[in-house]
């Protein structure tokens, strides 16, 4: 069992209190680590260190900050096996997937480093003679990042890299389910020579997280998490009018037209639904299939689900791994049972396995209705409800009749249909003839209850800035 320490001001430090966060391997249910829950004083010290460090960090040229990020990207590659091993053990991912997540995190770090010469302001014409208006982009200050459990390595760097390149410093609270990979990343941060206090990684309880989110020295809170967590952050941000960037729930609809490549669509949809055991905010969560191909497509979905067994991915990386914990599994199973009570037909899965580990089989439900909970609420697990439609306008109306608007999918070979959906879908992302993957040069932002602000690309980087207008009279 590993014993972790918090990372504050470039030092790994123990806690003055005896409160420990226990970390379990979700594939075996074994206790694998103990992490000190920071005290209020320790968390406040991390904020103070970040505040002090930001004064010097913001004064570096952006190209100097970019060099630091390039060094961090190199260090992540050098530490990828350690980070990957920690992530695999605490998340149930295969070692290959966990290591690849670290590589992908290094790539987004390098991507944002390359923005060093592109953080642009504007020169605006003035109404007054002999005067220029200069709109500058400036850092916000100290950013608190609340990182989720499902892709904790990638999401941490997805937030850290744009925050640092724009001149901010950061206090990171990793998920209590997957904190060990964050501390492995902290070793890479130290090895890369990032100055003291610029990045702090601190495990904590919810009350302590509230304390740092409402601290007057914090200028921004960035969260990837549930709608409930997003509401909490909005409450916290009101205290000091801190900026919030929230990537929240999703309920990705996939529309399958009769002219689609059905075998390709079925394979990719099941791949999306079972990747990381469905614990992905952009995973396909509901499928609308044209009535002309409905029966055939259900057969293909069922066939692909049968070919996706679950199990410990250290034994077979092709297995679908576990859910994060027992509560998640129980909540998902209860949703399936309620759907069946409401008339859904169980085609595959739908049971709690007897073996150790928080596994749940890939589950397919047909005869679903739009008003069912299983269609309206985010499942965040390997359960797929399927619905039938007659015309594309009906499918669009059903897809848009929802509280979420993060990602969406359409399978069709008709470009008119594709463009109609692209123009009328109420979601931040539309994927045509493929499932979501969040390209980091794009902009990952949700509509409706799926969030505020966004991540990735130029616009994700600019989330970490504020503007200053300089009125220059000459």
């Amino acid at each position: 069992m590993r014993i972790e320490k918090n990372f504050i001001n470039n030092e790994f430090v123990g806690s003055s209190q005896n409160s420990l966060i226990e970390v379990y391997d979700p594939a075996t249910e074994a206790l694998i680590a103990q992490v000190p829950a920071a005290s209020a004083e320790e968390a406040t010290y991390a904020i103070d260190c970040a505040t002090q460090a930001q004064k010097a960090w913001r004064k570096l040229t952006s190209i100097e900050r970019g060099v630091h990020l390039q060094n961090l990207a190199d260090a992540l590659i050098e530490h990828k096996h350690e980070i990957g091993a920690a992530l695999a053990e605490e998340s149930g991912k295969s070692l290959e997937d966990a290591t690849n997540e670290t590589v992908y995190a290094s790539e987004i770090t390098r991507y944002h480093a390359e923005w060093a010469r592109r953080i642009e302001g504007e020169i605006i014409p003035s109404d007054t003679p002999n005067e220029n208006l200069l709109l500058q982009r400036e850092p916000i200050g100290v950013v608190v990042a609340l990182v989720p459990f499902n892709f904790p390595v990638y999401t941490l760097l997805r937030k850290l890299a744009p925050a640092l390149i724009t001149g901010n410093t950061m206090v990171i609270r990793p998920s209590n389910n997957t904190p060990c990979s964050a501390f492995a990343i902290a070793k890479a941060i130290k090895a890369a020579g990032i100055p003291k206090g610029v990045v702090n990684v601190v495990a904590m309880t919810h009350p302590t997280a509230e304390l740092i989110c409402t601290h007057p020295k914090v200028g921004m809170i960035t969260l990837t998490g549930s709608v409930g967590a997003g509401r909490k952050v909005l409450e916290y941000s009101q205290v000091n009018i801190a900026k919030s960037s929230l990537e929240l729930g999703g309920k990705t609809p996939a529309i399958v037209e009769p002219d689609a490549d059905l075998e390709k669509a079925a394979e990719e949809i099941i791949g999306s639904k079972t990747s990381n055991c469905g614990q992905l905010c952009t995973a396909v969560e509901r499928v609308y299939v044209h009535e002309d191909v409905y029966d055939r497509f259900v057969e293909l979905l069922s066939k692909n689900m049968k070919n996706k067994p679950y199990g410990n991915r250290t034994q077979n990386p092709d297995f679908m791994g576990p859910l994060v914990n027992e509560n998640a599994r129980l909540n998902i199973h209860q949703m399936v049972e309620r759907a069946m009570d409401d008339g859904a037909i169980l085609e595959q899965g739908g049971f709690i396995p007897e073996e150790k580990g928080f596994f749940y089989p890939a589950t397919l439900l047909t005869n679903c209705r739009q008003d069912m909970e299983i269609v309206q609420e985010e499942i965040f697990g390997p359960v797929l409800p399927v619905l039938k439609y007659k015309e594309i306008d009906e499918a669009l109306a059903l897809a848009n009749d929802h509280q979420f608007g993060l990602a969406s999918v359409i399978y069709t070979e008709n470009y008119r249909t594709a463009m109609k959906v692209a123009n009328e879908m109420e979601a931040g992302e539309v994927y045509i003839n493929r499932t979501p993957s969040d390209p980091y040069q794009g902009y990952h932002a949700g509509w409706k209850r799926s969030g505020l602000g966004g991540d990735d690309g130029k616009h994700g980087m600019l989330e970490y800035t504020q503007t200053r207008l300089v009125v220059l009279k000459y």
Side-chain angles (χ1 to χ4, degrees):
M1 183 179 69
R2 67 173 75 206
I3 305 296
E4 299 287 359
K5 292 184 177 181
N6 288 311
F7 183 70
I8 303 174
N9 208 33
N10 272 27
E11 299 294 336
F12 288 94
V13 296
S15 178
S16 60
Q17 60 182 17
N18 294 323
S19 178
L20 293 172
I21 297 165
E22 295 185 330
V23 184
Y24 293 86
D25 180 343
T28 65
E29 303 183 38
L31 178 65
I32 59 172
Q34 290 183 331
V35 179
S39 66
E41 292 76 16
E42 291 157 352
T44 301
Y45 175 59
I47 296 290
D48 291 340
C49 291
T51 303
Q52 184 62 35
Q54 203 265 336
K55 296 175 183 179
W57 182 252
R58 69 173 297 164
K59 289 182 179 179
L60 294 178
T61 64
S62 56
I63 198 66
E64 288 175 312
R65 294 194 294 268
V67 170
H68 279 295
L69 282 180
Q70 293 283 11
N71 291 339
L72 176 55
D74 291 341
L76 289 169
I77 295 300
E78 291 169 3
H79 289 75
K80 67 179 181 180
H81 296 297
E82 180 181 357
I83 298 169
L87 176 59
E89 190 175 29
E90 68 188 358
S91 70
K93 297 183 181 186
S94 70
L95 183 58
E96 180 182 9
D97 282 356
T99 304
N100 286 341
E101 184 176 334
T102 308
V103 173
Y104 199 39
S106 76
E107 291 175 358
I108 196 170
T109 302
R110 208 174 298 282
Y111 168 81
H112 282 291
E114 293 168 354
W115 275 101
R117 293 187 176 94
R118 300 178 180 88
I119 306 171
E120 300 170 346
E122 301 174 31
I123 300 176
I124 306 168
S126 174
D127 293 345
T128 304
N130 302 322
E131 184 174 273
N132 287 331
L133 307 181
L134 312 178
L135 189 66
Q136 301 173 343
R137 288 281 179 178
E138 300 290 346
I140 293 172
V142 176
V143 178
V144 167
L146 307 174
V147 177
F149 70 84
N150 56 338
F151 288 91
V153 171
Y154 179 70
T155 307
L156 192 157
L157 274 305
R158 185 187 218 178
K159 297 178 183 298
L160 178 67
L164 263 55
I165 195 63
T166 49
N168 304 281
T169 55
M170 187 167 271
V171 176
I172 298 163
R173 189 243 175 147
S175 166
N176 288 345
N177 290 296
T178 54
C180 300
S181 55
F183 294 121
I185 292 171
K187 294 179 182 178
I189 290 169
K190 187 168 184 175
I194 303 294
K196 287 185 177 182
V198 171
V199 183
N200 305 273
V201 182
V202 188
M204 61 190 74
T205 61
H206 291 303
T208 307
E210 179 178 358
L211 173 71
I212 66 168
C213 287
T214 55
H215 195 287
K217 293 180 181 178
V218 170
M220 179 176 175
I221 310 166
T222 174
L223 162 79
T224 298
S226 67
V227 173
R231 289 194 177 104
K232 279 292 184 184
V233 167
L234 288 176
E235 290 177 13
Y236 300 158
S237 67
Q238 293 179 41
V239 176
N240 296 300
I241 318 300
K243 183 176 182 179
S244 297
S245 179
L246 310 175
E247 198 258 72
L248 306 179
K251 190 72 178 174
T252 300
I255 297 172
V256 181
E257 280 280 88
D259 63 350
D261 183 335
L262 297 184
E263 292 192 358
K264 173 178 180 288
E267 181 181 356
E268 292 182 356
I269 287 171
I270 296 304
S272 172
K273 184 74 273 186
T274 58
S275 176
N276 202 33
C277 203
Q279 298 169 123
L280 177 62
C281 59
T282 56
V284 174
E285 283 253 333
R286 49 195 169 116
V287 184
Y288 299 98
V289 185
H290 193 279
E291 61 180 5
D292 289 351
V293 294
Y294 179 85
D295 291 341
R296 171 62 178 152
F297 197 68
V298 168
E299 289 178 6
L300 290 170
L301 290 175
S302 184
K303 174 185 174 183
N304 278 277
M305 276 196 171
K306 286 180 180 178
N307 294 331
K308 197 64 182 179
Y310 61 85
N312 191 329
R313 300 193 71 195
T314 62
Q315 299 171 3
N316 186 339
D318 292 331
F319 284 158
M320 181 178 68
L323 293 162
V324 63
N325 55 39
E326 179 61 20
N327 284 339
R329 180 167 68 171
L330 184 60
N331 289 338
I332 289 167
H333 185 60
Q334 290 173 343
M335 288 183 74
V336 171
E337 289 185 321
R338 288 192 294 268
M340 293 167 61
D341 290 343
D342 202 18
I345 297 173
L346 182 67
E347 303 283 350
Q348 290 281 338
F351 62 90
I352 295 180
E354 295 181 359
E355 59 262 39
K356 281 278 190 178
F358 307 124
F359 300 106
Y360 198 78
T363 298
L364 183 65
L365 294 169
T366 58
N367 199 41
C368 296
R369 302 186 315 275
Q370 183 71 7
D371 63 349
M372 285 181 171
E373 175 197 35
I374 205 79
V375 177
Q376 291 295 321
E377 298 297 332
E378 186 174 31
I379 303 166
F380 221 62
V383 178
L384 189 64
V386 185
L387 298 87
K388 185 187 300 184
Y389 71 90
K390 293 183 178 181
E391 302 292 341
I392 189 63
D393 286 338
E394 178 191 3
L396 258 172
L398 292 170
N400 288 335
D401 178 27
H402 215 277
Q403 61 180 316
F404 294 121
L406 189 56
S408 57
V409 174
I410 170 75
Y411 281 95
T412 181
E413 295 301 313
N414 187 317
Y415 79 92
R416 292 183 175 87
T417 301
M419 288 310 302
K420 177 183 179 66
V421 170
N423 289 334
E424 298 181 23
M425 184 70 76
E426 296 171 2
E429 297 177 352
V430 180
Y431 291 82
I432 300 172
N433 292 324
R434 59 167 295 185
T435 51
S437 65
D438 299 354
Y440 52 71
Q441 65 269 46
Y443 186 47
H444 181 60
W447 292 19
K448 305 178 185 178
R449 292 183 183 175
S450 287
L452 298 171
D455 296 301
D456 304 337
K458 171 185 177 180
H459 301 286
M461 175 198 64
L462 293 179
E463 289 287 343
Y464 294 90
T465 67
Q466 56 191 346
T467 58
R468 178 194 292 119
L469 180 67
V470 177
V471 181
L472 177 61
K473 182 74 174 176
Y474 61 92

